[in-house]
Amino acid sequence: MLLKAFARQQRCIFLDFHRTRLVLPILILKLFSLVCRRSGRAVAVLLAVALGACGRSDDSQITVYRIPKEAQAESTSLPAGESTASPIEVHWTAPSDWQEQSASGFRKGSFLVRAPDGKTADVSVISFPKAAGGVLANVNRWRNQLKLTPISTEAEAGTPTEVEGHDMFFVDLVSDQPITADGTKTRVLGGILPLAQETWFFKMLGPDQLVESHREAFKQFLGSVHIAERATTDAAAPVSGSLSTNGSGNTNAPTPPPIEPSQGAPLQYTLPPDWQEKPLSPMRLASFKAVASNGKEADVSVVSLPGMAGGDLANVNRWRGQVNLAPIGEDALAKTARHVQANGHDFLVVDLVSDAPMGDQHEKQRILAAVLDENDRSWFIKMTGEDAAVESQRSAFTNFLQSLKLP
Amino acid sequence: MSTAATTSSNLLRTPFRALASLQLTVVCLGLGMLLVFLGTLAQVHLGIHAVQARYFQSLFVFWSPPGMSWKIPILPGGYLLGVILFVNLIAAHATRFQFSRKKLGIILLHFGVILLLIGQLLTGLFARETQMRIDEGQTLAYSEAPREVELVVIDSTAPDYDQIVSIPEAVLAREGPIQNPTLPFTIKVRQFMPNSRLVMRSQAPQAPPSTATVGIGKQVVVSEEPRTVRDEERDLSAAFIELEGLQGSLGTWLVSNALLDRQSFELNGHTYSLVMRPRRFYKQFALTLLHFAHDRYAGTDIPKNFSSRVRLVDLERNENREVIISMNDPLRYRGFTFYQAGFDNNDKTTILQVVKNPAMLLPYIACGLVALGLLTQFSMHLFAFVRKQPR
């Protein structure tokens, strides 16, 4: 009786899941049901249960489900007053012809501006903790999206305005050439509002003409920004954000906040065009990968240590060891090193190339490094990589030094 | 049993004996050792995840001659060996089984081994390891499979919920038409690339025109890449999908987990969005990261302890409490185990490993049974020996 029911079940498995991996076990099972004595049947049933379970893998099943709208789900599931979010709230009023979009990811507000001809511009409101790298780094990030060259001073970045006693930075950028498929230039209007614990970014991005025609509306929008203390009984509404690697194919995707050191004021710099920020390690205050035109990468690090950190000579000799060069003395160092003046700092710069190819790739290795001893701290800015890659990034390295503002 | 069945059962006795033979056990164990050895070597080129799938969680290990598309099985895979060993053990008991008190230890021991084999099979089939990445202050009700993507079609028409159709990678990889009764169109997967490289068209002006006719895909050049085998790297999957409604094609989109924004369109008054993302597994509860702590030994950068203070909210079960998850102190809830696995973003983001293994207890029970069996068998021999000694 049991066996009959069991045989039916087998057939079900067989019909429901045309899976080759089940055929063999089922054949073995049939063999069992013919041969086994009563003692073996119990075990055979056990086997059947195990095999029956095999068919229920969900790896190739399409599923349909409903979830609460993401922003809503977040606010309802968080108990009142339990948020670790900042104690202030930022409000704004958008012009009535802007279409409100659901805020998602990093966005705290999102609007769509439509032109009569169907073109659209995107308005986003984003906040990042602390200084988020500073005004300059963020303006340069936007400039990069428009394929504009980076700038090095805040004065070029935009014009300061005031919102409720806070400095807001107004930015107006337009691309030199068309960068979208429809052949029009792209314009960015932006407002950067640094507050005590976070920085807010208001941005309109879209076709030049459309954004231009909404300039006044955007300025009014910035003017409507209102900062309030968060009431403690208020249910917090934190913003969801699924972190994802930043796709290269999306100019509009919010970038994760730029580097900030864990202590002291943030490091400010201009990111050279071929450089990308890398995750920080405990020692590094900033970390980049510089991509040379041949696709090879060089690693750039900014490290700061208290005191003299062993002195210049010891560090230079340590680096010489890394590229298989013999140590040198003070005199030789004074002769080979050059000095670079940047922002009132005097960097000692050494450029070390290995005599012979080394490493996995059998290429000459090179270290280009700048050292600065100032105010009881030592600073090391170092680029490591294959000779050709470092060579192609030499001017970018110097530009980076010029742009670097040490706290 | 009928006469016919009796005859066939006699016919089958001989191969059945072979199935129960000890030689088969030895051959299987030998092949198992060979499999482990070759699988370990293959990790150099394939990486641990591919080797697990091809060598151990498979019926056969296939090899295709260089440049050929067909493949031949060269070794039995882990599942096949496990099943044969399992059947061998049961067959041996079925043919020679006689219950006696003397053999109680042996029976317990073998039952333990059988349970261990079943447990391993169930773990291989059902255990799922996913990850939750939560920023401080963020609430998440789902975990993600780090090495698997899904294509989701989100219908965000309703004001209070999103209806999501999730199509896992395995279905996309078949590159066939996909239909779902909740969708008014057929999804035709034109090309699926498990790993790919996306470049803006402006940076590769000489590239051939895109397959995509709608959305961001027109501005992107995609090239297929071999799947990554390195543990610290992730694939960037991409697919060209064409949607076909009743009135014909709606266009071809490029979807990829490298593209962050949803690509939306409207059809029959509904708003649909297409997203490719790491495969999500929604839970009936949500976790909020209140604080992530990264303690270091005083004066050094050497990590001492990582812990996440989270709030667990389960409306269904009326749970609302704070939990601390630290390195050796996971949270177990509703069949899931949350381990502290990592951190990111300057200690502002925690990474939890979420493990669901319905067969988690089986190995413990199996080992207990084996130990009990050994103990019974040895003590029975010991008592018999002691009793035989002249006093």
Side-chain angles (χ1 to χ4, degrees):
Chain A
M1 190 57 196
L2 187 61
L3 269 181
K4 269 185 193 158
F6 166 48
R8 265 204 303 278
Q9 193 194 337
Q10 282 171 36
R11 208 158 297 133
C12 285
I13 298 169
F14 207 83
L15 292 176
D16 282 356
F17 307 95
H18 293 273
R19 292 175 155 229
T20 43
R21 67 173 183 193
L22 279 183
V23 174
L24 190 83
I26 287 171
L27 284 180
I28 296 168
L29 209 62
K30 296 227 176 212
L31 207 88
F32 255 100
S33 55
L34 284 170
V35 184
C36 279
R37 283 148 211 263
R38 193 180 298 162
S39 58
R41 282 182 196 163
V43 201
V45 170
L46 202 76
L47 179 68
V49 173
L51 286 174
C54 298
R56 289 198 291 109
S57 164
D58 62 346
D59 280 350
S60 51
Q61 303 272 310
I62 297 174
T63 48
V64 181
Y65 50 84
R66 283 179 182 180
I67 53 161
K69 293 260 181 210
E70 290 205 327
Q72 277 185 8
E74 249 74 60
S75 56
T76 49
S77 55
L78 203 87
E82 284 289 348
S83 163
T84 54
S86 77
I88 55 133
E89 277 179 345
V90 175
H91 301 283
W92 54 83
T93 315
S96 55
D97 56 340
W98 291 7
Q99 210 175 324
E100 184 150 9
Q101 306 284 303
S102 61
S104 64
F106 288 91
R107 292 187 176 206
K108 308 216 161 161
S110 183
F111 302 91
L112 201 63
V113 182
R114 282 187 196 278
D117 61 359
K119 286 185 176 155
T120 55
D122 175 72
V123 179
S124 63
V125 181
I126 294 170
S127 87
F128 283 136
K130 307 251 176 80
V135 167
L136 197 60
N138 282 289
V139 171
N140 277 329
R141 184 162 59 82
W142 289 347
R143 291 185 68 92
N144 185 36
Q145 287 180 2
L146 298 179
K147 310 228 177 301
L148 295 172
T149 50
I151 47 169
S152 50
T153 59
E154 225 167 80
E156 294 174 66
T159 45
T161 53
E162 197 172 273
V163 172
E164 296 206 347
H166 297 275
D167 285 334
M168 164 115 62
F169 214 76
F170 182 73
V171 181
D172 183 0
L173 303 168
V174 65
S175 67
D176 288 336
Q177 312 143 13
I179 54 171
T180 54
D182 59 359
T184 55
K185 289 184 180 179
T186 300
R187 184 178 285 272
V188 166
L189 294 179
I192 302 176
L193 176 64
L195 298 175
Q197 291 184 19
E198 54 201 27
T199 305
W200 286 72
F201 299 91
F202 303 84
K203 177 181 168 196
M204 178 188 264
L205 176 125
D208 183 17
Q209 281 187 336
L210 175 61
V211 175
E212 182 64 54
S213 68
H214 278 79
R215 178 196 296 275
E216 281 314 306
F218 185 76
K219 282 193 165 171
Q220 276 172 19
F221 173 63
L222 290 185
S224 78
V225 172
H226 166 71
I227 302 152
E229 296 280 316
R230 189 188 293 279
T232 45
T233 51
D234 223 12
V239 171
S240 73
S242 60
L243 272 170
S244 172
T245 47
N246 200 15
S248 55
N250 195 334
T251 51
N252 204 20
T255 337
I259 316 301
E260 49 174 307
S262 47
Q263 61 233 16
L267 209 55
Q268 290 187 11
Y269 49 81
T270 309
L271 197 63
D274 295 338
W275 291 19
Q276 291 162 25
E277 274 160 0
K278 285 205 297 196
L280 297 181
S281 63
M283 289 284 283
R284 294 185 172 197
L285 290 178
S287 185
F288 312 95
K289 85 178 166 199
V291 186
S293 47
N294 62 358
K296 292 283 168 71
E297 289 169 10
D299 173 74
V300 184
S301 64
V302 179
V303 171
S304 164
L305 294 171
M308 286 286 284
D312 296 348
L313 186 65
N315 280 299
V316 170
N317 276 333
R318 185 164 55 81
W319 294 332
R320 291 183 68 89
Q322 289 171 6
V323 288
N324 286 348
L325 294 175
I328 52 170
E330 284 286 357
D331 295 348
L333 178 64
K335 271 182 212 152
T336 53
R338 62 198 172 92
H339 287 263
V340 172
Q341 309 291 331
N343 285 332
H345 304 296
D346 180 22
F347 288 96
L348 182 76
V349 177
V350 289
D351 191 355
L352 312 167
V353 192
S354 68
D355 288 330
M358 54 187 285
D360 296 342
Q361 306 290 325
H362 290 283
E363 291 282 346
K364 283 192 176 182
Q365 298 293 312
R366 185 162 181 171
I367 292 177
L368 180 61
V371 195
L372 174 70
D373 304 314
E374 217 172 73
N375 302 335
D376 267 347
R377 281 196 87 78
S378 303
W379 292 83
F380 303 96
I381 298 99
K382 181 179 164 203
M383 180 189 274
T384 319
E386 287 176 11
D387 185 14
V390 175
E391 173 65 36
S392 76
Q393 295 297 318
R394 270 171 59 111
S395 58
F397 185 82
T398 313
N399 290 342
F400 176 74
L401 281 188
Q402 304 281 3
S403 78
L404 190 62
K405 290 210 180 77
L406 301 178
Chain B
M1 256 188 218
S2 67
T3 345
T6 322
T7 327
S8 68
S9 83
N10 279 336
L11 264 174
L12 284 165
R13 282 264 152 84
T14 325
F16 194 77
R17 289 240 168 75
L19 208 58
S21 73
L22 191 63
Q23 284 97 318
L24 185 65
T25 320
V26 175
V27 169
C28 280
L29 289 178
L31 284 172
M33 283 163 72
L34 188 67
L35 186 71
V36 170
F37 178 70
L38 293 176
T40 311
L41 290 187
Q43 278 186 32
V44 177
H45 296 294
L46 296 175
I48 187 160
H49 301 280
V51 164
Q52 259 177 1
R54 276 196 220 175
Y55 281 71
F56 303 115
Q57 292 167 352
S58 63
L59 286 180
F60 290 100
V61 180
F62 289 95
W63 174 77
S64 55
M68 300 291 169
S69 60
W70 44 271
K71 47 187 187 175
I72 45 172
I74 47 163
L75 256 187
Y79 277 171
L80 182 60
L81 282 181
V83 167
I84 296 178
L85 272 174
F86 176 80
V87 171
N88 175 249
L89 192 58
I90 291 175
H93 275 275
T95 49
R96 306 185 202 117
F97 186 81
Q98 280 175 316
F99 186 80
S100 72
R101 251 187 35 207
K102 271 188 187 165
K103 288 195 172 166
L104 186 67
I106 303 272
I107 293 167
L108 273 177
L109 198 155
H110 279 133
F111 189 66
V113 174
I114 290 171
L115 217 54
L116 201 62
L117 284 167
I118 295 180
Q120 198 48 48
L121 180 74
L122 292 181
T123 301
L125 289 173
F126 296 111
R128 195 181 283 287
E129 286 196 19
T130 51
Q131 279 186 352
M132 265 176 122
R133 275 185 81 109
I134 324 177
D135 301 337
E136 272 188 356
Q138 193 193 4
T139 303
L140 275 194
Y142 59 85
S143 61
E144 292 178 328
R147 299 187 171 272
E148 202 185 335
V149 293
E150 62 179 1
L151 169 68
V152 289
V153 184
I154 304 170
D155 179 352
S156 49
T157 318
D160 51 345
Y161 65 84
D162 287 342
Q163 177 152 311
I164 292 174
V165 179
S166 154
I167 303 157
E169 188 172 329
V171 178
L172 294 176
R174 285 182 210 146
E175 296 192 341
I178 299 163
Q179 280 180 322
N180 188 278
T182 59
L183 297 177
F185 46 79
T186 304
I187 302 172
K188 293 189 164 171
V189 183
R190 290 276 171 242
Q191 191 188 3
F192 175 71
M193 291 158 272
N195 192 15
S196 63
R197 200 181 144 82
L198 272 63
V199 183
M200 287 306 283
R201 189 155 284 278
S202 52
Q203 288 164 18
Q206 68 279 35
S210 176
T211 317
T213 58
V214 201
I216 183 100
K218 288 188 290 184
Q219 301 160 36
V220 179
V221 179
V222 190
S223 52
E224 188 158 7
E225 297 267 307
R227 289 202 92 138
T228 176
V229 297
R230 293 171 62 175
D231 216 33
E232 71 278 11
E233 286 180 357
R234 295 285 178 271
D235 288 330
L236 285 180
S237 306
F240 284 107
I241 54 168
E242 184 177 2
L243 305 187
E244 204 169 79
L246 286 175
Q247 277 83 38
S249 175
L250 302 168
T252 303
W253 278 261
L254 169 71
V255 287
S256 167
N257 55 343
L259 303 172
L260 284 180
D261 278 7
R262 293 177 175 189
Q263 302 184 74
S264 305
F265 63 96
E266 292 196 1
L267 183 69
N268 306 343
H270 283 248
T271 308
Y272 295 97
S273 310
L274 299 168
V275 187
M276 185 180 265
R277 61 189 188 191
R279 192 169 174 201
R280 284 186 185 178
F281 297 92
Y282 277 88
K283 318 266 180 268
Q284 297 111 313
F285 51 91
L287 292 182
T288 309
L289 178 63
L290 302 176
H291 181 64
F292 176 77
H294 177 175
D295 308 328
R296 298 174 174 88
Y297 285 101
T300 70
D301 272 335
I302 300 165
K304 184 180 176 189
N305 191 33
F306 309 109
S307 60
S308 303
R309 190 157 60 86
V310 296
R311 174 164 290 278
L312 168 72
V313 178
D314 187 339
L315 298 176
E316 215 172 284
R317 292 198 181 170
N318 237 349
E319 288 273 1
N320 184 345
R321 56 184 161 103
E322 273 186 26
V323 191
I324 291 185
I325 302 171
S326 63
M327 284 197 295
N328 294 318
D329 196 7
L331 160 69
R332 293 180 205 276
Y333 188 70
R334 282 209 184 204
F336 295 95
T337 312
F338 297 83
Y339 297 94
Q340 182 66 56
F343 58 94
D344 202 352
N345 197 13
N346 261 341
D347 295 353
K348 293 282 180 221
T349 302
T350 187
I351 302 173
L352 303 175
Q353 189 82 6
V354 186
V355 179
K356 179 164 193 161
N357 184 0
M360 191 176 70
L361 277 179
L362 279 184
Y364 296 102
I365 299 172
C367 289
L369 280 176
V370 171
L372 194 67
L374 281 172
L375 196 70
T376 317
Q377 199 62 24
F378 285 133
S379 33
M380 277 196 309
H381 277 284
L382 184 67
F383 286 135
F385 178 75
V386 170
R387 225 177 282 140
K388 274 187 201 155
Q389 292 294 308
R391 305 197 179 221

